[in-house]
Every structure is written in structure tokens, then in C-alpha cells.
Amino acid sequence: IILPSSITTIGKEAFANCGKLTEIQLPAGVSTIGRQAFLNCSSLTSMVIPEGVAIIEPLTFADCTKLTEVTIPSSVTSIAGGELNAFTGCPDLTLFVQLDSYGEQFAMENAIVCRFDESVWAPESDFTFTSSGSGATITGYTGNASKLIIPPTLGGKKVTAIGDAAFMYNSSLVFVHMPETVTSIGHSAFHCCDALLIINLPQALTVIGPYAFAGSQSLTGIKLPSKLKTIDAGAFNTCGLTTVTIPSGVTTISRGAFSLNPLTSVIMEG
């Protein structure tokens, strides 16, 4: 469906339960999208929210089970979360967001995969890496960014691992976003990164290696991904974590994984 340019408002439940709707193009002038506007559009696969929309209402895209890509503009300042999450029932969703935007914040708080425009990826020349088979492992970083968006490919191969000590003792990093291709983080990869406040872990991650974040005392929160299996020895030793939720798929938490943290709450899912 291509809507005419005169449309400025998509009302409540406007396209709800349109189970055969696969694509809809919203005109640039749309500024309001009502509650449950696309509820249970079970064949809808993608959506670009126009610049100018400020609020994504409760259950707007709920149970759009095939929805895999939604572009969130920088104009969005509120997205319904919690029990009335705008994207509840969208299991394979990726949000395309702007750096430092509310969309980025929402994605991280709700453990939704997010991607950034290629223009903000760190340049390949800032990394040292090795290649094996179809994957690349980052072995070092020579840049000085405080906010680092690791590119999904290096040398034409998917970045699948952060290698041992790759970012150890980096005092510049405040925010790190890893691509969804990364499945493992090596020994001491971010050891003693004193300024590190936010690390956006990919949902594909299965292994956090020994002392991966140990000594990064500014790290007060971490969202562990659902596919995580192993949290190795001392992985978060001497960080600043106050709460942590362990996903139900985790099978190993090794010695000292969370020791010397000011933890007040540990939740074990499942």
C-alpha cells in the first residue's frame, strides 16, 4: 500500500488485523500514528517511520510476527514499553536508529537488535584483525573514539569475535556497540576500560571470556543477551554493576564472574 501525500495521521487500529498486508509506505507528512495502528499485521515485514513522528503508541506493532526491520527517525522521543510495548510479539525485529537518539536508548533498554547507518561506523583502518574462514576477529584498536560503532565486516568478512585484550586499558571508550555478527568476546577484551559506561552486546553472543570486562569500574549496568551460554571466570570482576539479570540459556557462570561488584539484585530467568 502506498498512501497519498495528503495523509498526516494514522488513526487508532487503522490497519489492525490486516493479516495479508506485507508492505505499507507512509508519506513524509505523517506525524501521528495511533495506538494499535498495525496490531496483528502478521505478514508485515518492514516499516519506515517518517521524520516528524514523535511518539510510537502502545501496541502499535504488537504481534507483527514477521516484522524484521523498522526505521526509527531522530524525531521520536517516546516509544511505549513494558507490558504495552509497541513491538511486543515481534521476535525477529531489528531497529534502524540514529546514534545518540531515543530509538537507540529504547533498543538497548528492551534488548532489541539495533543497527546504525554506515556513516557512523568506525573506519576499518582503526582496527587490527585476523581472518579465518568466513569470519574476522578484532585483535586491536588504534582509534581514540569515545563512542565506538564496530563495523559488521572487516576485510570483507563478518566480524565474529572480539579477540583477547583487543581493547584492554583503553581509557577513551565510553560507549561501544557491537554488530550482531559477534558471537564471542575474548580474554580481557575490555579489561580496565576505566571510562566505559555502556556496552551494547549483540543478541548472537554466546560466550563472554575470562576477565572480559574486569576492572571497568564505570560499567554500572549490562544487558546480557538471550543466547548467552557462558560467562567465564572473572568476566565482570571489579565492575560497578548494581543489578544483573542472567538469561535462562546461560549454562556456566565461572569462578569470580561477578565478584567485587556493588550488586544489590541478581535475577535468574527461567
Side-chain angles (χ1 to χ4, degrees), residues 11-17 33-40 57-62:
K12 180 181 178 181
E13 300 178 355
F15 295 94
N17 299 307
I33 301 175
R35 183 182 177 123
Q36 298 173 311
F38 299 96
L39 172 72
N40 197 32
E57 299 278 359
L59 305 175
T60 298
F61 297 97

Side-chain angles (χ1 to χ4, degrees), residues 11 13 15 19 21 42 63 78 83-84 97 102 104 148 166 185 189 199 202-203 205 222 232 246 248 253:
E13 300 178 355
F15 295 94
L21 180 64
S42 54
D63 297 323
S78 176
E83 293 182 359
L84 300 178
V97 301
Y102 179 81
E104 174 196 325
L148 177 64
I185 299 173
I199 185 85
Q203 292 302 302
L205 186 69
I222 191 76
D232 227 321
I246 309 297
S248 58
I253 302 176

Side-chain angles (χ1 to χ4, degrees), residues 134-154:
S134 60
T137 297
I138 294 175
T139 57
Y141 175 66
T142 57
N144 58 5
S146 60
K147 294 188 175 182
L148 177 64
I149 312 298
I150 298 174
T153 61
L154 290 172

Side-chain angles (χ1 to χ4, degrees), residues 99-100 104 120 122-123 126 141-150 167 170-177 190 193-200:
L99 187 64
D100 297 327
E104 174 196 325
V120 299
D126 282 354
Y141 175 66
T142 57
N144 58 5
S146 60
K147 294 188 175 182
L148 177 64
I149 312 298
I150 298 174
F167 297 90
N170 185 300
S171 59
S172 299
L173 291 174
V174 175
F175 168 88
V176 175
H177 172 83
F190 294 91
C193 291
D194 295 337
L196 187 61
L197 288 172
I198 300 172
I199 185 85
N200 192 355

Side-chain angles (χ1 to χ4, degrees), residues 245-262:
T245 298
I246 309 297
S248 58
V250 171
T251 57
T252 302
I253 302 176
S254 295
R255 181 177 179 178
F258 294 96
S259 62
L260 300 175
N261 277 271

Side-chain angles (χ1 to χ4, degrees), residues 13-234:
E13 300 178 355
F15 295 94
N17 299 307
C18 292
K20 294 184 179 180
L21 180 64
T22 59
E23 183 179 359
I24 184 167
Q25 183 176 323
L26 303 184
V30 168
S31 59
T32 302
I33 301 175
R35 183 182 177 123
Q36 298 173 311
F38 299 96
L39 172 72
N40 197 32
C41 289
S42 54
S43 298
L44 188 65
T45 59
S46 66
M47 173 68 69
V48 176
I49 307 295
E51 189 72 43
V53 172
I55 299 173
I56 300 179
E57 299 278 359
L59 305 175
T60 298
F61 297 97
D63 297 323
C64 293
T65 53
K66 293 183 180 179
L67 189 63
T68 58
E69 298 182 2
V70 175
T71 298
I72 307 292
S74 58
S75 59
V76 169
T77 58
S78 176
I79 302 175
E83 293 182 359
L84 300 178
N85 193 299
F87 299 102
T88 191
C90 302
D92 300 314
L93 181 64
T94 294
L95 296 181
F96 288 78
V97 301
Q98 303 294 315
L99 187 64
D100 297 327
S101 67
Y102 179 81
E104 174 196 325
Q105 176 186 330
F106 175 83
M108 289 192 293
E109 289 177 350
N110 291 271
I112 297 174
V113 174
C114 67
R115 293 184 182 175
F116 297 90
D117 186 85
E118 186 174 350
S119 65
V120 299
W121 295 351
E124 185 170 304
S125 58
D126 282 354
F127 299 93
T128 57
F129 58 94
T130 59
S131 298
S132 177
S134 60
T137 297
I138 294 175
T139 57
Y141 175 66
T142 57
N144 58 5
S146 60
K147 294 188 175 182
L148 177 64
I149 312 298
I150 298 174
T153 61
L154 290 172
K157 295 187 176 182
K158 293 180 180 180
V159 176
T160 55
I162 309 298
D164 296 349
F167 297 90
M168 187 168 65
Y169 298 127
N170 185 300
S171 59
S172 299
L173 291 174
V174 175
F175 168 88
V176 175
H177 172 83
M178 297 183 194
E180 285 305 309
T181 49
V182 172
T183 59
S184 67
I185 299 173
H187 194 303
S188 301
F190 294 91
H191 180 74
C192 286
C193 291
D194 295 337
L196 187 61
L197 288 172
I198 300 172
I199 185 85
N200 192 355
L201 299 177
Q203 292 302 302
L205 186 69
T206 59
V207 177
I208 299 176
Y211 304 97
F213 298 97
S216 297
Q217 296 187 33
S218 296
L219 191 64
T220 58
I222 191 76
K223 188 80 173 183
L224 299 177
S226 59
K227 292 183 181 180
L228 187 64
K229 300 294 183 186
T230 300
I231 305 172
D232 227 321

